[in-house]
Amino acid sequence: MSERAVHKGIAVCPGVAIGPIWVIDGGLTNPPRLRVGEARIEGEVERVFDAMESARSKLEEAKASLHETHGEIYGQLLDAQLLMYGDAMLRSGVESKIRDLRMAGEWAVRATIDELKAPLLSADSRYFRERAEDIELVGRQILRELGGGAIRLPPKDAEVIVVASVLSPADAAELRDSSVLGIATESGSATSHTAILARALGLPAVVAAHGIAHRAEAKRIAIVDAIRGEVVIEPDEAEREDAERRAERYRQYSLGLKARRDAPVVTLDGHPVEIYANVELSFEVDRVVKQRAHGVGLFRTEFLYLNRLKPPTEEEQLEVYRRTIERLEGRPITFRTFDLGADKMPRFERGIPKPSVSFGRTGLRYALSARRLFRTQLRALLRAATHGPMSVMFPAVAGVDDLRAALTELASVREELRHEGLPFGEPPIGCMIELPSAALRSHRLAEHADFFSVGTNDLVQHTLAVDRNDPFATGYASPLEPAVLDLLQMSVASASARGIPISICGDMASDPVALPLVLGLGFSQLSAPIAMLPMVQETVRRVALEDCKALARDAMAAASASAVRALVREAFGEALGELWAEHGAFD
């Protein structure tokens, strides 16, 4: 019987769930270490190669399903895995272990996969560590076929906690309409594909819960606490009762917020605030409409470029953008041009420029260095602008020269489309404030941009010299740090002086403690993850803007993030205490 275990991780979609565990591919981590006799070697090699072909064929079917449901560009998310089935190192590695070491097929596959993953897992780059997820998925697909293709996903009506090493796009597509209660994965980071897919499902989810795939056993009980960022396996009776109470309380709390989604999003003293959604996948747009969001404030287009060998074509992108715009039923959307590099590395074939793993050739700088890639996207975006209200913004702008260069490229693309006789729109063009240099020179950037959007995740990271995905640095990455508040205030002042809109689309826009400060600093357009929209809307309704402004003035004079946090608690504890409690803000 399993013993009680607590696995700390990263909460990526809020909520609390408790239920029996359903392990995806649970028996594939450590298959039996069996040997085969001389007479069985040829048959064993053939059995493994047949399993590889069967797994590849099923992955092709999953790709076709994603293509049919969400468009060709999403089906291509599986291309990288499909390519691995023809990889000589995989096939020869398995074959040599069977022939030379007489390993049984399952053991040979597991050993080869672990060997291929090892150098990637030990790399400093998050990109290489996340590539190990692709190798692991391929190994598990083959092992599943060797085991007879046993059911790995729960039945549609099963109310269970899904535990997996990784969550693939195919898994996410199949779980969309299920009765799954929560998700816990072994791998992932706050920005990994696993986290993005978990958020898209809208279920309580914790990723990077290291060791959980090895410890979890089917039918045992688990608590997914996506408020505290932990998963408890085989909790004691008191923990179960507490989790059930908290899960029900959070459910009732969420239902109460959703019941008010049609209420005006206006502060107590009558100031309207526009609430937008952050989106990574086009099928999330239906939830944006359902939640009564004002529109999409950030559509992260880089997801279209990841896990594929060739960049998306102009027509492929146009189809995704057009479909997304039309599904919003007239609500505005802001597309961010691809923000690749660092922890979002594409897997393009040779000959296509790649961004840098560390800072430098990333974001807009990478786009400007990969002109063909950039121009293809700009063409698709301008053509999509004929289908509804939309804007375009550039990521990681360091200064005026960056922005001018991007605008020059855009003007050239317009002329190109005009010459070809293709219809295109003239969407507003914005600049993201994500780097301290951009905030410090925002008054100059405002002369060239139609709007600003502040990405607080990167702004905090670069201002405070922390990696937000590093668990050690979590306590240092506070958006309440006065240095960060100074940069936000500068950006708001620059936008106001120039008369252009400014919004905020980073995690600070959905932080229940930081929100009064955000409003007090002058932001009236907020963009947040879909799952957090009800909380953001309700926070706005419970505060007065004048009180928020008074808080902001006091915070700007504070000496530290802890002092600012204390000011917020004192000023809004009565009005927002319930919301803070549900989100574990002061736990």
Side-chain angles (χ1 to χ4, degrees):
M1 181 175 178
S2 297
E3 296 181 357
R4 178 184 179 277
V6 179
H7 297 268
K8 292 290 185 180
I10 302 170
V12 295
C13 194
V16 180
I18 179 170
I21 293 172
W22 186 286
V23 184
I24 295 180
D25 294 340
L28 306 182
T29 304
N30 295 299
R33 298 190 171 193
L34 304 176
R35 303 281 183 182
V36 294
E38 182 74 31
R40 289 181 51 204
I41 287 178
E42 291 301 329
E44 196 70 0
V45 171
E46 183 178 352
R47 184 172 77 94
V48 173
F49 284 177
D50 285 347
M52 286 183 176
E53 178 56 30
S54 178
R56 188 201 60 77
S57 177
K58 289 183 178 179
L59 197 61
E60 288 279 12
E61 292 174 8
K63 175 182 175 179
S65 176
L66 280 171
H67 179 175
E68 182 178 350
T69 307
H70 306 303
E72 181 180 359
I73 206 162
Y74 288 99
Q76 291 175 357
L77 290 171
L78 300 178
D79 280 349
Q81 290 177 40
L82 284 167
L83 185 69
M84 289 181 195
Y85 282 97
D87 187 276
M89 291 178 67
L90 173 61
R91 296 178 71 87
S92 63
V94 171
E95 184 173 5
S96 67
K97 286 176 175 55
I98 296 173
R99 294 189 184 281
D100 300 339
L101 303 178
R102 295 189 179 182
M103 289 183 176
E106 289 84 352
W107 185 9
V109 169
R110 182 73 265 171
T112 302
I113 291 297
D114 288 345
E115 284 179 3
L116 294 174
K117 284 169 51 182
L120 298 175
L121 290 172
S122 61
D124 292 334
S125 165
R126 185 177 305 280
Y127 164 73
F128 290 115
R129 294 197 298 273
E130 290 183 358
R131 293 293 64 76
E133 291 186 11
D134 292 328
I135 297 174
E136 177 65 23
L137 282 170
V138 168
R140 286 170 178 261
Q141 290 156 3
I142 298 168
L143 288 168
R144 190 181 311 124
E145 294 305 312
L146 287 170
I151 295 174
R152 60 192 184 96
L153 290 174
K156 290 290 185 182
D157 60 349
E159 296 184 345
V160 294
I161 301 296
V162 167
V163 174
S165 176
V166 292
L167 188 68
S168 73
D171 294 333
E174 292 185 51
L175 290 174
R176 277 187 64 202
D177 301 316
S178 71
S179 299
V180 167
L181 302 172
I183 296 170
T185 68
E186 173 101 11
S187 64
S189 66
T191 58
S192 68
H193 304 148
T194 298
I196 289 170
L197 293 165
R199 278 195 296 269
L201 292 170
L203 298 170
V206 174
V207 303
H210 301 299
I212 192 167
H214 298 274
R215 294 291 300 272
E217 296 178 18
K219 299 183 181 179
R220 301 299 183 191
I221 299 298
I223 298 168
V224 173
D225 191 331
I227 304 299
R228 298 171 179 166
E230 65 182 24
V231 181
V232 183
I233 294 178
E234 284 296 273
D236 60 35
E237 193 62 34
E239 287 175 312
R240 292 189 192 193
E241 291 177 359
D242 178 64
E244 287 169 354
R245 282 195 301 269
R246 293 177 65 230
E248 178 59 22
R249 191 177 71 192
Y250 193 85
R251 191 180 76 84
Q252 293 299 328
Y253 158 77
S254 297
L255 288 173
L257 295 187
K258 288 176 182 177
R260 288 171 51 77
R261 64 189 173 195
D262 289 322
V265 184
V266 179
T267 62
L268 291 175
D269 46 355
H271 295 273
V273 177
E274 295 177 357
I275 310 296
Y276 297 80
N278 297 341
V279 169
E280 284 102 354
L281 303 169
S282 62
F283 65 71
E284 294 179 273
V285 169
D286 294 339
R287 292 171 60 207
V288 174
V289 175
K290 197 174 191 179
Q291 192 49 52
R292 310 297 194 270
H294 197 79
V296 173
L298 169 63
F299 187 101
R300 296 181 173 100
T301 64
E302 55 269 15
F303 197 80
L304 306 178
Y305 293 77
L306 301 176
N307 267 10
R308 29 183 313 157
L309 302 175
K310 294 182 179 180
T313 66
E314 179 180 333
E315 296 302 323
E316 288 171 344
Q317 292 185 66
L318 176 59
E319 175 61 19
V320 171
Y321 304 150
R322 179 196 62 77
R323 183 186 301 186
T324 305
I325 291 168
E326 291 177 351
R327 288 169 79 169
L328 279 170
E329 302 173 354
R331 293 170 176 82
I333 180 171
T334 298
F335 292 100
R336 180 177 71 185
T337 58
F338 57 76
D339 185 12
L340 296 170
D343 60 348
K344 292 171 286 188
M345 293 291 291
R347 306 193 63 191
F348 299 151
E349 296 173 322
R350 289 183 180 179
I352 301 174
K354 293 183 177 63
S356 55
V357 175
S358 58
F359 301 117
R361 198 183 186 198
T362 59
L364 182 58
R365 286 177 178 169
Y366 168 62
L368 291 169
S369 72
R371 290 185 67 234
R372 183 179 299 178
L373 228 60
F374 192 34
R375 290 176 69 88
T376 297
Q377 181 174 45
L378 293 177
R379 285 174 61 93
L381 288 167
L382 289 179
R383 292 174 64 190
T386 63
H387 294 280
M390 60 162 275
S391 303
V392 175
M393 64 183 177
F394 302 125
V397 176
V400 171
D401 285 346
D402 281 356
L403 183 54
R404 280 178 175 166
L407 292 173
T408 298
E409 207 70 71
L410 186 67
S412 172
V413 167
R414 285 196 194 98
E415 287 305 310
E416 191 174 78
L417 292 171
R418 186 176 289 113
H419 178 74
E420 294 173 15
L422 292 173
F424 65 92
E426 295 281 0
I429 305 299
C431 166
M432 290 202 73
I433 306 294
E434 300 178 278
L435 305 175
S437 61
L440 290 168
R441 301 297 290 172
S442 55
H443 59 294
R444 292 300 186 191
L445 289 170
E447 297 172 1
H448 305 277
D450 295 320
F451 65 92
F452 282 163
S453 181
V454 180
T456 55
N457 298 2
D458 278 334
L459 187 63
V460 169
Q461 177 172 253
H462 292 299
T463 302
L464 304 179
V466 294
D467 178 352
R468 66 178 182 266
N469 294 314
D470 182 353
F472 170 78
T474 300
Y476 297 98
S478 173
L480 303 183
E481 192 64 46
V484 175
L485 302 183
D486 282 342
L487 296 175
L488 293 177
Q489 186 183 56
M490 286 181 195
S491 303
V492 171
S494 297
S496 177
R498 192 69 184 178
I500 64 173
I502 183 168
S503 64
I504 189 166
C505 63
D507 287 348
M508 198 172 180
S510 57
D511 182 332
V513 176
L515 270 169
L517 264 177
V518 169
L519 297 172
L521 287 169
F523 291 93
S524 59
Q525 295 180 353
L526 316 177
S527 193
I530 297 173
M532 302 299 285
L533 292 178
M535 181 277 294
V536 175
Q537 292 165 333
E538 186 62 18
T539 298
V540 171
R541 299 184 187 113
R542 294 190 184 192
V543 300
L545 184 58
E546 289 306 312
D547 293 338
C548 294
K549 289 180 178 179
L551 170 66
R553 286 192 294 270
D554 292 341
M556 297 303 295
S560 65
S562 58
V564 173
R565 192 173 180 83
L567 286 171
V568 177
R569 190 171 195 173
E570 180 181 356
F572 289 96
E574 184 174 345
L576 301 178
E578 177 197 359
L579 299 180
W580 291 345
E582 293 301 334
H583 289 270
F586 284 95
D587 286 354

